Amino acid sequence: QVQLVESGGGLVQAGGSLRLSCAASGRAFSTYAMGWFRQAPGKEREFVAAISWSVSNTNYADSVKGRFTISRDNAKSTVYLQMNTLKPEDTAVYSCAAARDLYPYPTPDNYNYWGQGTQVTVSS
């Protein structure tokens, strides 16, 4: 079992930056692929970024490539999402997820554990 707790969300102006953190507790964090997803009001959950357990593979949605960076620190059981050049359309609840898998898949069905989410609001 893995428990995930996100932090770092907030209100930021367009063009600004935020760094989200996801702290994991439980066993074998370093063997899980980790992902970030987001959901805006009235919209479906959307893939943002994912990273393999070994850090050798990352995966990004086209909408965030070049602006967002996912990373992880297995010693701290934490995964991060650095978000730069934020846009109003990035406004959503951001959730992290853990997958009992090696590959950072972009689909929610591949993930076994989810955090509660943290709100990110980007004002224009």
mmCIF file with all atom_site columns, all heavy atoms in Angstrom, residues 57-69:
data_model
loop_
_atom_site.group_PDB
_atom_site.id
_atom_site.type_symbol
_atom_site.label_atom_id
_atom_site.label_alt_id
_atom_site.label_comp_id
_atom_site.label_asym_id
_atom_site.label_entity_id
_atom_site.label_seq_id
_atom_site.pdbx_PDB_ins_code
_atom_site.Cartn_x
_atom_site.Cartn_y
_atom_site.Cartn_z
_atom_site.occupancy
_atom_site.B_iso_or_equiv
_atom_site.pdbx_formal_charge
_atom_site.auth_seq_id
_atom_site.auth_comp_id
_atom_site.auth_asym_id
_atom_site.auth_atom_id
_atom_site.pdbx_PDB_model_num
ATOM 1   N N   . ASN A 1 57 ? 13.410 7.353  -17.693 1.00 0.00 ? 57 ASN A N   1
ATOM 2   C CA  . ASN A 1 57 ? 12.356 7.655  -18.658 1.00 0.00 ? 57 ASN A CA  1
ATOM 3   C C   . ASN A 1 57 ? 11.389 8.677  -18.092 1.00 0.00 ? 57 ASN A C   1
ATOM 4   O O   . ASN A 1 57 ? 10.947 8.552  -16.951 1.00 0.00 ? 57 ASN A O   1
ATOM 5   C CB  . ASN A 1 57 ? 11.570 6.394  -19.013 1.00 0.00 ? 57 ASN A CB  1
ATOM 6   C CG  . ASN A 1 57 ? 12.359 5.450  -19.883 1.00 0.00 ? 57 ASN A CG  1
ATOM 7   O OD1 . ASN A 1 57 ? 12.960 5.874  -20.872 1.00 0.00 ? 57 ASN A OD1 1
ATOM 8   N ND2 . ASN A 1 57 ? 12.367 4.184  -19.540 1.00 0.00 ? 57 ASN A ND2 1
ATOM 9   N N   . THR A 1 58 ? 11.065 9.666  -18.905 1.00 0.00 ? 58 THR A N   1
ATOM 10  C CA  . THR A 1 58 ? 10.021 10.625 -18.556 1.00 0.00 ? 58 THR A CA  1
ATOM 11  C C   . THR A 1 58 ? 9.056  10.734 -19.724 1.00 0.00 ? 58 THR A C   1
ATOM 12  O O   . THR A 1 58 ? 9.384  10.404 -20.862 1.00 0.00 ? 58 THR A O   1
ATOM 13  C CB  . THR A 1 58 ? 10.583 12.012 -18.220 1.00 0.00 ? 58 THR A CB  1
ATOM 14  O OG1 . THR A 1 58 ? 11.371 12.473 -19.324 1.00 0.00 ? 58 THR A OG1 1
ATOM 15  C CG2 . THR A 1 58 ? 11.434 11.977 -16.968 1.00 0.00 ? 58 THR A CG2 1
ATOM 16  N N   . ASN A 1 59 ? 7.871  11.210 -19.420 1.00 0.00 ? 59 ASN A N   1
ATOM 17  C CA  . ASN A 1 59 ? 6.805  11.297 -20.400 1.00 0.00 ? 59 ASN A CA  1
ATOM 18  C C   . ASN A 1 59 ? 6.022  12.574 -20.092 1.00 0.00 ? 59 ASN A C   1
ATOM 19  O O   . ASN A 1 59 ? 5.691  12.822 -18.932 1.00 0.00 ? 59 ASN A O   1
ATOM 20  C CB  . ASN A 1 59 ? 5.910  10.052 -20.277 1.00 0.00 ? 59 ASN A CB  1
ATOM 21  C CG  . ASN A 1 59 ? 5.080  9.791  -21.506 1.00 0.00 ? 59 ASN A CG  1
ATOM 22  O OD1 . ASN A 1 59 ? 5.011  10.613 -22.405 1.00 0.00 ? 59 ASN A OD1 1
ATOM 23  N ND2 . ASN A 1 59 ? 4.448  8.625  -21.536 1.00 0.00 ? 59 ASN A ND2 1
ATOM 24  N N   . TYR A 1 60 ? 5.731  13.373 -21.118 1.00 0.00 ? 60 TYR A N   1
ATOM 25  C CA  . TYR A 1 60 ? 5.024  14.636 -20.903 1.00 0.00 ? 60 TYR A CA  1
ATOM 26  C C   . TYR A 1 60 ? 3.870  14.784 -21.887 1.00 0.00 ? 60 TYR A C   1
ATOM 27  O O   . TYR A 1 60 ? 3.965  14.359 -23.049 1.00 0.00 ? 60 TYR A O   1
ATOM 28  C CB  . TYR A 1 60 ? 5.966  15.833 -21.100 1.00 0.00 ? 60 TYR A CB  1
ATOM 29  C CG  . TYR A 1 60 ? 7.046  15.961 -20.061 1.00 0.00 ? 60 TYR A CG  1
ATOM 30  C CD1 . TYR A 1 60 ? 8.306  15.411 -20.263 1.00 0.00 ? 60 TYR A CD1 1
ATOM 31  C CD2 . TYR A 1 60 ? 6.804  16.637 -18.868 1.00 0.00 ? 60 TYR A CD2 1
ATOM 32  C CE1 . TYR A 1 60 ? 9.296  15.524 -19.303 1.00 0.00 ? 60 TYR A CE1 1
ATOM 33  C CE2 . TYR A 1 60 ? 7.793  16.759 -17.904 1.00 0.00 ? 60 TYR A CE2 1
ATOM 34  C CZ  . TYR A 1 60 ? 9.036  16.198 -18.132 1.00 0.00 ? 60 TYR A CZ  1
ATOM 35  O OH  . TYR A 1 60 ? 10.021 16.314 -17.173 1.00 0.00 ? 60 TYR A OH  1
ATOM 36  N N   . ALA A 1 61 ? 2.817  15.411 -21.431 1.00 0.00 ? 61 ALA A N   1
ATOM 37  C CA  . ALA A 1 61 ? 1.758  15.824 -22.346 1.00 0.00 ? 61 ALA A CA  1
ATOM 38  C C   . ALA A 1 61 ? 2.289  16.935 -23.242 1.00 0.00 ? 61 ALA A C   1
ATOM 39  O O   . ALA A 1 61 ? 3.122  17.755 -22.816 1.00 0.00 ? 61 ALA A O   1
ATOM 40  C CB  . ALA A 1 61 ? 0.551  16.320 -21.559 1.00 0.00 ? 61 ALA A CB  1
ATOM 41  N N   . ASP A 1 62 ? 1.821  16.964 -24.465 1.00 0.00 ? 62 ASP A N   1
ATOM 42  C CA  . ASP A 1 62 ? 2.296  17.989 -25.408 1.00 0.00 ? 62 ASP A CA  1
ATOM 43  C C   . ASP A 1 62 ? 2.039  19.405 -24.868 1.00 0.00 ? 62 ASP A C   1
ATOM 44  O O   . ASP A 1 62 ? 2.816  20.323 -25.122 1.00 0.00 ? 62 ASP A O   1
ATOM 45  C CB  . ASP A 1 62 ? 1.598  17.826 -26.759 1.00 0.00 ? 62 ASP A CB  1
ATOM 46  C CG  . ASP A 1 62 ? 2.102  16.610 -27.515 1.00 0.00 ? 62 ASP A CG  1
ATOM 47  O OD1 . ASP A 1 62 ? 3.186  16.097 -27.176 1.00 0.00 ? 62 ASP A OD1 1
ATOM 48  O OD2 . ASP A 1 62 ? 1.397  16.173 -28.449 1.00 0.00 ? 62 ASP A OD2 1
ATOM 49  N N   . SER A 1 63 ? 0.956  19.561 -24.132 1.00 0.00 ? 63 SER A N   1
ATOM 50  C CA  . SER A 1 63 ? 0.565  20.887 -23.655 1.00 0.00 ? 63 SER A CA  1
ATOM 51  C C   . SER A 1 63 ? 1.527  21.456 -22.608 1.00 0.00 ? 63 SER A C   1
ATOM 52  O O   . SER A 1 63 ? 1.501  22.665 -22.350 1.00 0.00 ? 63 SER A O   1
ATOM 53  C CB  . SER A 1 63 ? -0.850 20.841 -23.078 1.00 0.00 ? 63 SER A CB  1
ATOM 54  O OG  . SER A 1 63 ? -0.920 19.917 -22.004 1.00 0.00 ? 63 SER A OG  1
ATOM 55  N N   . VAL A 1 64 ? 2.363  20.607 -22.007 1.00 0.00 ? 64 VAL A N   1
ATOM 56  C CA  . VAL A 1 64 ? 3.264  21.096 -20.955 1.00 0.00 ? 64 VAL A CA  1
ATOM 57  C C   . VAL A 1 64 ? 4.735  20.922 -21.316 1.00 0.00 ? 64 VAL A C   1
ATOM 58  O O   . VAL A 1 64 ? 5.605  21.360 -20.550 1.00 0.00 ? 64 VAL A O   1
ATOM 59  C CB  . VAL A 1 64 ? 2.968  20.410 -19.602 1.00 0.00 ? 64 VAL A CB  1
ATOM 60  C CG1 . VAL A 1 64 ? 1.501  20.563 -19.232 1.00 0.00 ? 64 VAL A CG1 1
ATOM 61  C CG2 . VAL A 1 64 ? 3.393  18.956 -19.611 1.00 0.00 ? 64 VAL A CG2 1
ATOM 62  N N   . LYS A 1 65 ? 5.029  20.292 -22.428 1.00 0.00 ? 65 LYS A N   1
ATOM 63  C CA  . LYS A 1 65 ? 6.426  20.089 -22.819 1.00 0.00 ? 65 LYS A CA  1
ATOM 64  C C   . LYS A 1 65 ? 7.165  21.417 -22.920 1.00 0.00 ? 65 LYS A C   1
ATOM 65  O O   . LYS A 1 65 ? 6.657  22.374 -23.488 1.00 0.00 ? 65 LYS A O   1
ATOM 66  C CB  . LYS A 1 65 ? 6.499  19.357 -24.156 1.00 0.00 ? 65 LYS A CB  1
ATOM 67  C CG  . LYS A 1 65 ? 6.313  17.855 -24.065 1.00 0.00 ? 65 LYS A CG  1
ATOM 68  C CD  . LYS A 1 65 ? 6.412  17.207 -25.431 1.00 0.00 ? 65 LYS A CD  1
ATOM 69  C CE  . LYS A 1 65 ? 6.189  15.709 -25.335 1.00 0.00 ? 65 LYS A CE  1
ATOM 70  N NZ  . LYS A 1 65 ? 6.197  15.054 -26.670 1.00 0.00 ? 65 LYS A NZ  1
ATOM 71  N N   . GLY A 1 66 ? 8.352  21.443 -22.345 1.00 0.00 ? 66 GLY A N   1
ATOM 72  C CA  . GLY A 1 66 ? 9.154  22.659 -22.365 1.00 0.00 ? 66 GLY A CA  1
ATOM 73  C C   . GLY A 1 66 ? 8.829  23.625 -21.247 1.00 0.00 ? 66 GLY A C   1
ATOM 74  O O   . GLY A 1 66 ? 9.573  24.585 -21.028 1.00 0.00 ? 66 GLY A O   1
ATOM 75  N N   . ARG A 1 67 ? 7.734  23.399 -20.534 1.00 0.00 ? 67 ARG A N   1
ATOM 76  C CA  . ARG A 1 67 ? 7.350  24.279 -19.421 1.00 0.00 ? 67 ARG A CA  1
ATOM 77  C C   . ARG A 1 67 ? 7.384  23.553 -18.079 1.00 0.00 ? 67 ARG A C   1
ATOM 78  O O   . ARG A 1 67 ? 7.731  24.151 -17.065 1.00 0.00 ? 67 ARG A O   1
ATOM 79  C CB  . ARG A 1 67 ? 5.939  24.823 -19.644 1.00 0.00 ? 67 ARG A CB  1
ATOM 80  C CG  . ARG A 1 67 ? 5.789  25.649 -20.906 1.00 0.00 ? 67 ARG A CG  1
ATOM 81  C CD  . ARG A 1 67 ? 4.427  26.350 -20.946 1.00 0.00 ? 67 ARG A CD  1
ATOM 82  N NE  . ARG A 1 67 ? 3.304  25.407 -20.951 1.00 0.00 ? 67 ARG A NE  1
ATOM 83  C CZ  . ARG A 1 67 ? 2.333  25.407 -20.055 1.00 0.00 ? 67 ARG A CZ  1
ATOM 84  N NH1 . ARG A 1 67 ? 2.325  26.292 -19.066 1.00 0.00 ? 67 ARG A NH1 1
ATOM 85  N NH2 . ARG A 1 67 ? 1.341  24.528 -20.141 1.00 0.00 ? 67 ARG A NH2 1
ATOM 86  N N   . PHE A 1 68 ? 7.028  22.285 -18.066 1.00 0.00 ? 68 PHE A N   1
ATOM 87  C CA  . PHE A 1 68 ? 6.967  21.505 -16.830 1.00 0.00 ? 68 PHE A CA  1
ATOM 88  C C   . PHE A 1 68 ? 8.100  20.485 -16.818 1.00 0.00 ? 68 PHE A C   1
ATOM 89  O O   . PHE A 1 68 ? 8.475  19.945 -17.863 1.00 0.00 ? 68 PHE A O   1
ATOM 90  C CB  . PHE A 1 68 ? 5.649  20.752 -16.717 1.00 0.00 ? 68 PHE A CB  1
ATOM 91  C CG  . PHE A 1 68 ? 4.433  21.609 -16.488 1.00 0.00 ? 68 PHE A CG  1
ATOM 92  C CD1 . PHE A 1 68 ? 4.472  22.997 -16.617 1.00 0.00 ? 68 PHE A CD1 1
ATOM 93  C CD2 . PHE A 1 68 ? 3.231  21.023 -16.142 1.00 0.00 ? 68 PHE A CD2 1
ATOM 94  C CE1 . PHE A 1 68 ? 3.350  23.773 -16.400 1.00 0.00 ? 68 PHE A CE1 1
ATOM 95  C CE2 . PHE A 1 68 ? 2.088  21.784 -15.931 1.00 0.00 ? 68 PHE A CE2 1
ATOM 96  C CZ  . PHE A 1 68 ? 2.152  23.161 -16.067 1.00 0.00 ? 68 PHE A CZ  1
ATOM 97  N N   . THR A 1 69 ? 8.601  20.184 -15.612 1.00 0.00 ? 69 THR A N   1
ATOM 98  C CA  . THR A 1 69 ? 9.624  19.165 -15.443 1.00 0.00 ? 69 THR A CA  1
ATOM 99  C C   . THR A 1 69 ? 9.264  18.276 -14.263 1.00 0.00 ? 69 THR A C   1
ATOM 100 O O   . THR A 1 69 ? 9.019  18.782 -13.157 1.00 0.00 ? 69 THR A O   1
ATOM 101 C CB  . THR A 1 69 ? 11.002 19.797 -15.197 1.00 0.00 ? 69 THR A CB  1
ATOM 102 O OG1 . THR A 1 69 ? 11.332 20.667 -16.289 1.00 0.00 ? 69 THR A OG1 1
ATOM 103 C CG2 . THR A 1 69 ? 12.069 18.719 -15.080 1.00 0.00 ? 69 THR A CG2 1
#
